[in-house]
Amino acid sequence: MELVLYFGAEDPEMKKNVMMMKSVLVRMGVRIRNVRPDQVMETVGYLAGMPGFEEQEERQEPFPVIPEQMLVMKGFSGSRIDTLLYQLRRAGVPKIALKAIVTEHNCGWSFYKLYEELCQEHRMMTGQETDPSRQQTKGDARDGGL
């Protein structure tokens, strides 16, 4: 079954856009799981409901901060990803720069490690700086491809 893990920065201005995105997902029959800020150190496999991944018993606090939106897809075929991205654009949902697919390689990573890897990859592809600890501004978070 198709699933989207969604992490959204706490920005009241984005609420309408998030509702539009979730509406597209519901129409497509895709399950949605919101990732909370206190879950960023959980493994991607656990958050995606994959067998063999358990919730972390010890939680490090304070939790690292993810200042931008992330969309992580599980169980999608290539054509369904294309359809999802097309439907999001068609619905007027602003671009989400950080997107990934759950893989055998990244399912054991923490959600935060996936964020760091996506940031580094995005910066390399767009020619921006490569420091993953750099916090982006709201304007930066909305740049990049959907």
Side-chain angles (χ1 to χ4, degrees), residues 66-121:
I66 297 177
E68 42 195 320
Q69 295 181 86
M70 281 179 61
L71 198 68
V72 181
M73 299 164 275
K74 175 184 170 262
F76 282 76
S77 67
S79 64
R80 283 288 283 176
I81 291 171
D82 292 343
T83 300
L84 172 60
L85 297 178
Y86 171 76
Q87 292 297 330
L88 290 172
R89 275 192 311 271
R90 190 169 169 232
V93 176
K95 295 177 180 181
I96 299 172
L98 302 180
K99 292 179 297 304
I101 298 169
V102 176
T103 66
E104 198 175 288
H105 181 70
N106 67 20
C107 63
W109 294 355
S110 72
F111 195 79
Y112 187 76
K113 176 169 175 41
L114 179 59
Y115 161 73
E116 290 179 315
E117 293 290 324
L118 287 175
C119 282
Q120 183 176 11
E121 185 178 294

Side-chain angles (χ1 to χ4, degrees), residues 35-71:
V35 178
R36 299 184 318 263
D38 66 340
Q39 294 178 308
V40 298
M41 294 311 292
E42 295 291 347
T43 63
V44 172
Y46 167 74
L47 293 170
M50 296 173 68
F53 291 93
E54 303 292 325
E55 184 174 17
Q56 299 292 318
E57 291 185 25
E58 291 184 31
R59 295 184 168 212
Q60 93 179 33
E61 291 188 39
F63 299 105
V65 174
I66 297 177
E68 42 195 320
Q69 295 181 86
M70 281 179 61
L71 198 68

Side-chain angles (χ1 to χ4, degrees), residues 118-132:
L118 287 175
C119 282
Q120 183 176 11
E121 185 178 294
H122 180 70
R123 288 186 185 108
M124 287 172 54
M125 292 182 70
T126 60
Q128 296 176 0
E129 64 184 69
T130 58
D131 179 4

